[in-house]
Amino acid sequence: MIRIEDLALSIFGTPILRDVDLTVAAGQVFGLVGESGSGKSMTALALMGLLPRGMTTSGQIWLDDTDLTKLDEDAMCAIRGRRVSMIFQEPMTALNPVKTIGDQVAETLLIHGRASRNDARRIAAEKLTRVGLPQDRFPLDRYPHELSGGQRQRVCIAMAIALHPNLLIADEPTTALDVTTQAQILDLLKELVAEDGMGLLLITHDLAVVAGMADHVAVMRKGEIVEQAETETLFRNMSHPYTRQLLDASGHVPDGQAIPQDTPLLEVRSAVRDYPLPRTHLFGPTPQFRAVDEVSFTLNKGESLGLVGESGCGKSTLSRAILGLEPLQSGEILLNGTPIAPDMPHARRAGLQVVFQDPYGSFNPRWTVERLVAEPFHLLGSRPLDWRDRVRDALAEVGLDPDAMTRYPHEFSGGQRQRIAIARALILRPELIILDEAVSALDVSIRADILDLLAELQSRHGMGYLFISHDLGVVRSITDRVLVMKAGKIVEDGATEAVFAAPQHTYTQTLINAAPVIPPAWKEA
Amino acid sequence: MLRYVLTRALSLGLSLVVASLVIFAMIEVIPGDPASFMLGLNAQPEAVAALRDDLGLNGSLVTRYLDWVGGLMTGDFGISYTYRVPVAELVLERLQVSLPLALYALGLSTLIAIPVGMFAAARQGRTSDYAIMGATQLGIAIPNFWFAMLLVMLFAVQLRWFSAGGFPGWDEGFWLAMKALTLPAVALALPQASILARVMRSSLLDVLHQDYMRTARAKGLSIAQATRHHALRNALIPVLTIIGLQFSFLLAGAIIIENVFFLPGLGRLIFQAITQRDLVVVESVVMLLVFAVILVTFLIDVAYAVVDPRLRRRR
Amino acid sequence: MTRLPAQLWIGAVLSAALLATALLSFLWTPYDVTTLNIGAKLKPPSAEYLLGTDHFGRDLLSMLMEGGRISIAVAVLAVGIGMGVGVPLGLLAAAHRGGWLDEVIMRGNDLIFAFPALVIAILITATFGPSATNAIVAIGIFNIPVFARVARGGAMTIWTQDFIMAARVAGKGKVRISVEHILPNIANLLIVQGTIQFSLGILAEAGLSYVGLGAQPPIASWGRMLAEAQTMIYSHPRLAIAPGLAIVVMVLGLNLMGDGLRDLLDPRIRRART
């Protein structure tokens, strides 16, 4: 019922999409997979007729017997939201902050003249209940800021399905959500497709998500569909090398990891970190939020320890305490037996470094790479005379040319920047590096390279890694031992394989069950 | 909501107390004795002593401050030294010119600026947008008193449509009074409208790029509908701040324009009071103006909460 | 090299031209503006007097050239005061965001904003005597909260970035981070605000001189030229045109330059261009 034929897009002569053909049937989930910049979102926007200005399109988009590319703006407005609707990646900003959720859902009905004002509110209430927001807990007059990310995505879904569209486009609908929330949203989408018989075009970077959801999958690269087939067939055959490459990268396990020693490097003992919350009473006491609650664990020399948890569980707060940036309210953190605190001497700080998630925000954009990488030398009091040589060596170690030294961070790609960040963390040869979601923002193929690099560096220098991530797959592939954190507490601590094979705590079980996986049988060629 | 308003009201009260202390101190630090300062260098010592008594300058700092603030709260602003009438009476009389003038100018500027800003945002990057932006640049660059002189030259001297200045008073009829305020209001409104139009445009453009606008479009709203239903209310939040600031500016900032047009307004009163060293008037009128600014800020904070639900439950 | 925005060019040329004539007036003006020549009073523009003369027979062009000096000097120094005091305060507030120091600095800022600037400027100049110095102080004081607010606002977003965390991991303190990391990243905001305040300073100085509270005779100033012209607005409206235009061109030039600089320096726009 929706059929794209020979779709091509270009902006000022630069091609964005070429020869895109795909068909989404009623009641079908069509997975469109690709890395960033592959053109998958552009395909969706072309379907909606919402391309940015300056784009030229060719080809046809058939909705039943209508070619959407031939319709004018008024006619497209009548299609959008009624016959084809869409939900987006970022539910936190997708809703108008100054309107109630009821009004925003009812608007879909009103704008298409499908209901009176009262009926629209009644239907909106029904739809919200349907997507899992029952009226007793989520009345129509709630505002978006009163809901969590997952709940907001449900509101977006309610808006999108209010008029029983023929096609729902979901562009990375769960990428910004935690794994358990992701599972719930995916289940909801699946259920809606089954009950309403609409088509779902599911756009994602995650092969495991489509494996569990889609009936049919297309793989996109550089604006072209390289392969498409029925889901199981596609996974079993992998007829295009790029698909195989994607799959390999997504489950990549680096080899040659170091063997951890038995001496403890980092010891965290009953660490507690409280934050003051805004007062509820003008003159009352300031309430406290316990972000880290009696956490204890040990990380041995040369060990890779994973720390897994959903957003808000306290893992970032814990990492700031371990870095000696924030004080503990009680308990202690020891590095090689000496305590870590915000006022510790610089020499002790030199044993600790960190790599962050965002390859864009990690660097002062006005500094050159050599100055950035050399920043930790501040801990030595002054830069050593051979600092330039040491920067060059560090860059070489992470696989970057020495000519990178005089360039600025914006001249590098995301993966290269992560290498620069690793070079900066490496320059003082610390004993512990905290990797805070260090590969989460990267495409799978680049992520695999960075994981290899980290493993290689560890086997060469024998430092310990504290690997903080929400991504179970990554943690599983690179760590020796894993900690699971929930609401400020460590709920499970064990050897990685053992934990993944037989999780003890119910929360760990929930997390592991929620994570989408490709059926192992499909991977056997 | 109530808690939010109460906290804002509390901060309003605190600001007023601090502001009154600052003003009081400012008048105190004026070199020399206020009384001899007011009378000038050649004053007779007896006259100075009499004035000191008159002003209550012989009490301690604390009692003088409390007397002044207490007076302000009961509507007793003191007696003007030069005019020999209660300051409250003077202020009330002058407000009859300044308040309508400020509102007139603010109304003009808002009515012009908001549609113009919206239009420019809708035409972003096209010729009409560039033309409007160029015109507003010019509007900001023109000193309002010079613009006022140009208006006088054209409409009063050449065309003789308006008089060059003066105010007949409201007793002479509403339209006549409004007519006398028209040129001053236009002169005041032009730069304000230029600023406001630019704020409106950039605020609207900001909002138009928000994710929820894309959501609205995906629901089937046309660009115009999405702008009307979703963008405007969000875009008005920063515009509101500027309107508030402009009101307080117009109330007191009309000093120079009132001078150009010989209008008996608050600005002219305070200007004359300063040059004639009538510190009683200066002290009380400045306090009054600060009160107006703080009050407007408070009202805008409350308006924020009405427009933006996120503020209502915070704190 | 990226192409400079057109408005930056236009703005820079306009303001540089006026700045140049003001500087030139130190070395040379067509006529001396301090000597009165009643015999040549109120002459229309001619080859001899390009813009004509005023009621004292002074050459308008020469007065315009000299008048620019005081406007520019007052505005530059007032911006200097605002930046010099406001930026450190703003950085300090951002470094202690949420703390009592931040609260005190920002409430103090709000308080200054609550005072009617022009009234206080008039009060200051009237109290301490009308002079250019007092005009500078009066305008400068009201620049302080503007720069403090811009600096704090810009610094707050920088403080949340990961590279600040990296600097803290490298053992750097708040002051060092503010100087090394924050300041270079808010410099563009400050430059843009600087040009805006510069142009507002020109307008404010013109207003103060217009009411007789700016620089005093015999120093020429654009504002006072307008005040004198107003008395002859019926008979010789010509006198009011040139000084007004000079102010407009200067302010317009600065504002265009500010806009152009913002376009040039805004990382979002720059990223789109690279």
Side-chain angles (χ1 to χ4, degrees), chain C residues 101-131:
Chain C
L101 195 61
D102 180 24
E103 192 68 15
V104 168
I105 292 174
M106 293 328 284
R107 290 292 82 78
N109 252 346
D110 289 349
L111 198 68
I112 299 186
F113 272 125
F115 281 84
L118 197 56
V119 173
I120 302 300
I122 289 174
L123 186 62
I124 291 175
T125 45
T127 309
F128 297 98
S131 78

Side-chain angles (χ1 to χ4, degrees), chain A residues 320 323 325 346 349 352-354 356-358 361-367 371 375-376 378-379 410 424, chain C residues 161-173 176 180-182 184-186 188 265 267 270 274:
Chain A
R320 283 197 295 274
L323 286 167
L325 298 178
H346 278 180
R349 227 174 244 290
L352 280 167
Q353 283 299 319
V354 61
F356 300 104
Q357 168 175 8
D358 178 11
S362 296
F363 306 106
N364 185 340
R366 301 187 186 274
W367 282 21
R371 197 173 167 201
E375 188 168 33
H378 179 72
L379 291 170
H410 69 87
R424 173 172 64 187
Chain C
Q161 304 227 1
D162 283 344
F163 67 81
I164 298 298
M165 187 91 90
R168 291 177 63 201
V169 170
K172 291 183 173 169
R176 183 177 281 272
E180 285 186 3
H181 287 290
I182 309 283
N185 282 292
I186 60 169
N188 51 2
L265 298 174
R270 202 169 54 169
T274 48

Side-chain angles (χ1 to χ4, degrees), chain C residues 194-253:
Chain C
T195 59
I196 294 172
Q197 294 311 116
F198 190 3
S199 73
L200 290 177
I202 301 263
L203 284 175
E205 191 278 334
L208 284 179
S209 319
Y210 174 78
V211 292
L213 293 173
Q216 294 302 297
I219 304 172
S221 97
W222 293 340
R224 220 183 35 256
M225 287 171 75
L226 282 177
E228 285 166 8
Q230 199 192 358
T231 58
M232 285 171 289
I233 199 162
Y234 286 93
S235 51
H236 296 87
R238 166 180 65 82
L239 295 177
I241 301 298
L245 277 181
I247 298 172
V248 171
V249 170
M250 188 73 204
V251 174
L252 186 66

Side-chain angles (χ1 to χ4, degrees), chain A residues 197-216:
Chain A
M198 66 180 174
L200 173 66
L201 178 62
L202 179 67
I203 296 172
T204 177
H205 67 284
D206 191 340
L207 279 173
V209 166
V210 289
M213 286 283 291
D215 305 304
H216 196 94

